[in-house]
Amino acid sequence: METVGRSKVARVVRTGAFLGALGVAGLALLAGCRSMSKDEVRAALLALPKNAPVAAAGLSEASFRADLGEGEKEYDLTYLRVGPTGGAPDGRAPVVIVPGTPDTLFAWTPVVFGLEGLAARREVYVLEVVGHGVARGEPRRRDVRALRALRGRRDREPRARARPPRRQLLRRRVRVARRARRAGPHRVAHLVDSSGIPRRDGDFLPEEVQMRENPLAKIGWLLNSSERIEAALAPHFDVIPEGRVEEIRLVCSNRENWHTMVELARDENGERADDLSKLFVPTLLVWGADDVAYDPKWYAQEFAERLPLATLVVMDDTGHYPHEQRTARFVEEVQRFLMTVENER
């Protein structure tokens, strides 16, 4: 009986030790897979060598009220502001850039701060879209379409809305970089997302198909890794810019950022295509001839035909990200377009 009793005790001890080890392993796994906070993402992004100019300039915070379909609410705004204070002395208007999905304002560092960057001649604002990058807050799905349109914002004091911008810049196939007549995010009256052309069957990238169709896509951030990010970026570049894999990995390590990216992938259905014909403003479309996400022979031409005052520039030997792959030429095309528009005023 004594031997049997000792055997039972030994089994209990072994079972307890096993369960304890499982518990420790589970806690370690959860700790390793936890979502990075926005503050952690922000600190890590600012620490990357490529983003040293952003760290030196500093990011600004503001709040605004907007009606995105459920009554007016307050939203936080994170943005970068650089360039000549109070506008350029020769009257050049400021540029406002809104990055695309799933990216962040840091993707535009070379365009803004390069040797011939936009900030050398103009006041530049780069906004962080709610639910992306280091911007706080996660939009609910019903807010996504309204956020993509980002339809206006008002100062807290009652006043007439500012006039809509007279000039705009649409970069590559989606997401607006709109330049405003009057300086500062508090003066932006209206932005319209350039996304709108319905995607053709078979044109969604493999990762987009997964986000649209996989019911477990929302927890995809748990599998986030540099290897996965690099595999997704490789088809779009001849050489991936230094620091970009780590930058996007950090952005996608935040659960809210990932959720917003998945919702936008599921929401892209072309419902805003008719709005393009209503944009009677000079518009620059910059496209890569080798874009594997949005075939320029179809999507670029569709945008150019639907936008009444569009100028289409297709860059040879360039993929989905002209502003990153051919930065110098991209900035040159933008500067030429803006100067042409301003000289016609």
Side-chain angles (χ1 to χ4, degrees):
M1 294 293 293
E2 185 177 350
T3 302
V4 174
R6 288 178 179 175
S7 177
K8 287 183 178 179
V9 171
R11 285 199 299 271
V12 170
V13 171
R14 286 196 299 271
T15 301
F18 177 71
L19 293 176
L22 281 180
V24 172
L27 290 175
L29 181 62
L30 288 175
C33 292
R34 74 176 183 86
S35 169
M36 290 184 69
S37 69
K38 290 283 186 173
D39 288 338
E40 290 172 326
V41 172
R42 178 171 178 157
L45 287 172
L46 288 171
L48 293 178
K50 72 174 287 292
N51 294 328
V54 182
L59 297 178
S60 300
E61 309 286 344
S63 60
F64 67 96
R65 299 189 67 83
D67 187 346
L68 301 181
E70 293 185 340
E72 194 171 84
K73 294 185 296 184
E74 186 166 298
Y75 292 86
D76 295 322
L77 178 67
T78 300
Y79 65 96
L80 170 71
R81 185 229 150 265
V82 291
T85 303
D90 58 0
R92 294 190 183 103
V95 174
V96 179
I97 299 173
V98 182
T101 303
D103 235 326
T104 176
L105 61 85
F106 296 93
W108 290 81
T109 300
V111 171
V112 176
F113 293 100
L115 184 62
E116 294 295 329
L118 293 175
R121 303 181 183 182
R122 298 176 183 274
E123 190 173 21
V124 179
Y125 293 85
V126 192
L127 310 184
E128 196 73 299
V129 180
V130 175
H132 294 69
V134 300
R136 300 184 184 280
E138 178 184 11
R140 293 185 299 277
R141 177 155 193 181
R142 68 183 61 186
D143 288 340
V144 167
R145 268 174 228 166
L147 280 170
R148 290 171 67 192
L150 200 62
R151 288 192 173 177
R153 46 156 306 173
R154 301 176 178 84
D155 295 335
R156 294 190 179 207
E157 301 79 22
R159 63 174 64 184
R161 289 177 63 106
R163 293 177 62 188
R166 292 177 59 188
R167 307 288 185 259
Q168 75 172 2
L169 164 69
L170 299 181
R171 64 114 173 141
R172 59 184 171 90
R173 57 94 182 166
V174 292
R175 314 297 179 245
V176 170
R178 167 75 62 86
R179 56 183 292 265
R181 282 190 66 191
R182 307 180 71 176
H186 65 290
R187 295 294 187 184
V188 177
H190 194 102
L191 294 176
V192 178
D193 193 307
S194 61
S195 184
I197 302 298
R199 298 289 287 275
R200 298 179 302 182
D201 292 341
D203 279 357
F204 285 101
L205 298 173
E207 58 268 28
E208 292 176 311
V209 173
Q210 284 295 316
M211 286 188 286
R212 290 173 65 85
E213 299 180 1
N214 191 332
L216 299 179
K218 280 293 195 72
I219 62 173
W221 62 273
L222 292 169
L223 303 177
N224 183 35
S225 69
S226 297
E227 292 74 20
R228 289 176 179 271
I229 298 299
E230 185 172 3
L233 286 179
H236 304 294
F237 292 94
D238 40 16
V239 177
I240 300 176
E242 184 177 357
R244 286 296 284 136
V245 171
E246 177 63 7
E247 193 165 80
I248 297 180
R249 186 195 69 79
L250 289 169
V251 169
C252 292
S253 294
N254 176 267
R255 182 177 57 249
E256 288 75 21
N257 287 345
W258 186 274
H259 287 181
T260 302
M261 179 176 64
V262 172
E263 293 293 1
L264 284 171
R266 293 175 176 178
D267 188 59
E268 188 161 349
N269 50 23
E271 287 187 358
R272 298 188 60 83
D274 291 342
D275 288 353
L276 296 175
S277 63
K278 303 173 185 176
L279 295 177
F280 285 93
V281 288
T283 304
L284 174 66
L285 294 166
V286 181
W287 225 282
D290 301 329
D291 190 343
V292 298
Y294 288 80
D295 183 358
K297 295 179 181 178
W298 169 254
Y299 295 100
Q301 294 300 324
E302 278 290 300
F303 270 107
E305 291 176 8
R306 290 172 183 254
L307 288 162
L309 303 177
T311 299
L312 173 62
V313 174
V314 179
M315 295 185 181
D316 294 333
D317 301 319
T318 305
H320 188 56
Y321 301 95
H323 65 297
E324 296 182 63
Q325 193 175 3
R326 305 285 180 255
T327 302
R329 186 184 170 192
F330 177 85
V331 173
E332 181 183 345
E333 293 291 350
V334 171
Q335 295 282 28
R336 181 184 298 114
F337 171 76
L338 296 177
M339 292 296 292
T340 300
V341 169
E342 288 169 344
N343 289 338
E344 293 175 351
R345 287 191 298 190

